[in-house]
Amino acid sequence: MTPSQNMAQAEDALRRGEYATAVTGLSDYLATGESTFRARAFFELAQAQYGLENYEAALDVLSDLEDQYPSEDWPQIPALRGDIYYALGRRPEAIRQWDRAWEEGSDSDRQFLRTRIDEAIDELT
């Protein structure tokens, strides 16, 4: 299956760094109630909000995603939440989220997270 044209356009906007366009397109897609690609749309919406530095909105979207899929343990969610907390200057919370992503993720996820964790730990006082 492939996403709808509107969602595909929103994903293209996200890849190009056109975050406001992505937010609009992904929000519109989620408003349809369509269940296909719903989790993906939520996550990408959080990424777009993060790109706009709308950190609280991004955290809200991640919470909504977890509420709708409570039995899933995707490492991408705590990884992005860690990035958001880091951007907010909340290093301990960032490290906790990255640690959660570490536990849920694969070896390739861990390689990605190691640098973030090490840098954040070095910044703690």
Side-chain angles (χ1 to χ4, degrees):
M1 296 187 75
T2 59
S4 69
Q5 183 177 0
N6 290 342
M7 183 166 163
Q9 290 172 338
E11 289 180 319
D12 286 341
L14 179 63
R15 281 189 284 279
R16 290 190 308 271
E18 297 170 4
Y19 301 120
T21 301
V23 165
T24 299
L26 292 163
S27 296
D28 289 349
Y29 176 80
L30 289 168
T32 68
E34 176 66 41
S35 61
T36 309
F37 303 109
R38 190 163 184 80
R40 180 165 133 185
F42 267 112
F43 185 74
E44 290 174 344
L45 177 57
Q47 288 178 307
Q49 292 287 13
Y50 173 75
L52 289 171
E53 298 181 9
N54 294 334
Y55 301 130
E56 294 302 326
L59 290 170
D60 289 343
V61 171
L62 291 176
S63 292
D64 291 344
L65 174 56
E66 288 181 316
D67 288 346
Q68 291 211 6
Y69 299 91
S71 63
E72 299 294 339
D73 288 323
W74 295 305
Q76 295 88 347
I77 295 171
L80 180 54
R81 189 174 278 126
D83 292 348
I84 294 165
Y85 286 144
Y86 185 86
L88 289 169
R90 296 164 59 181
R91 302 302 191 256
E93 285 113 333
I95 293 167
R96 278 193 288 279
Q97 289 299 312
W98 290 329
D99 183 56
R100 183 174 153 214
W102 182 283
E103 293 298 319
E104 295 169 4
S106 66
D107 286 342
S108 63
D109 295 321
R110 290 181 187 106
Q111 289 176 338
F112 172 79
L113 293 163
R114 179 175 299 282
T115 302
R116 284 178 163 80
I117 293 169
D118 289 345
E119 287 176 12
I121 287 172
D122 288 346
E123 293 174 10
L124 292 176
T125 58

